[in-house]
Amino acid sequence: MAVHSQTTTIVTSQHVSSGTWTTGICDCCSDMSTCCCALCCFPCMQCQTVSQFGWCFCMPLLDCCMVVSCCLRQKMREQYNIHGSCCDDVCTLCCCYPCAWCQMSREIKIRAHSGSVVTQQITHS
């Protein structure tokens, strides 16, 4: 009796649209872990966020006059093709600094998890 096996490849794509932030400035309920981390230790959340983006983790500790925050937000907009301007970034950070950082953290997490997932299934007949 011969056993035949067949391999099936399944590709699942999760696409994040460009042009806008994937979450709003006040969408803390969409990722409670980020908001809780920011509430408990805001500098830790900032360091984790820049580290996940590929920058030196200590950059937020040097954030005089929101220079690092504005630069990070601008670089994220450029990398993820999000519409906006430097003026928008400054206004957002001035109005709600912690919420802007939580939004940037969520964006990095969401963009890191988007893409294609390839799975293979082997069936025996």
Side-chain angles (χ1 to χ4, degrees):
M1 180 166 111
V3 176
H4 299 283
S5 62
Q6 180 181 0
T7 304
T8 306
T9 303
I10 302 168
V11 178
T12 307
S13 295
Q14 182 181 12
H15 180 68
V16 176
S17 63
S18 61
T20 60
W21 294 92
T22 55
T23 61
I25 193 77
C26 296
D27 280 343
C28 287
C29 292
S30 66
D31 183 8
M32 291 301 289
S33 63
T34 298
C35 291
C36 289
C37 181
L39 185 63
C40 293
C41 184
F42 187 68
C44 294
M45 188 274 298
Q46 288 178 297
C47 292
Q48 181 181 15
T49 300
V50 296
S51 179
Q52 289 172 340
F53 192 67
W55 286 12
C56 177
F57 74 96
C58 64
M59 290 296 288
L61 304 175
L62 307 171
D63 198 12
C64 301
C65 303
M66 298 185 305
V67 172
V68 172
S69 300
C70 288
C71 288
L72 176 65
R73 200 161 174 89
Q74 179 185 358
K75 290 297 181 188
M76 286 181 69
R77 283 190 303 98
E78 288 174 5
Q79 182 170 331
Y80 300 141
N81 197 23
I82 297 171
H83 300 297
S85 67
C86 184
C87 185
D88 293 337
D89 297 339
V90 171
C91 289
T92 301
L93 287 161
C94 284
C95 289
C96 195
Y97 187 76
C99 292
W101 269 94
C102 287
Q103 181 188 36
M104 291 187 291
S105 180
R106 289 190 304 269
E107 193 71 28
I108 292 168
K109 285 181 183 180
I110 291 168
R111 301 285 179 153
H113 293 299
S114 68
S116 297
V117 177
V118 177
T119 58
Q120 288 190 339
Q121 179 181 8
I122 299 174
T123 56
H124 298 284
S125 54

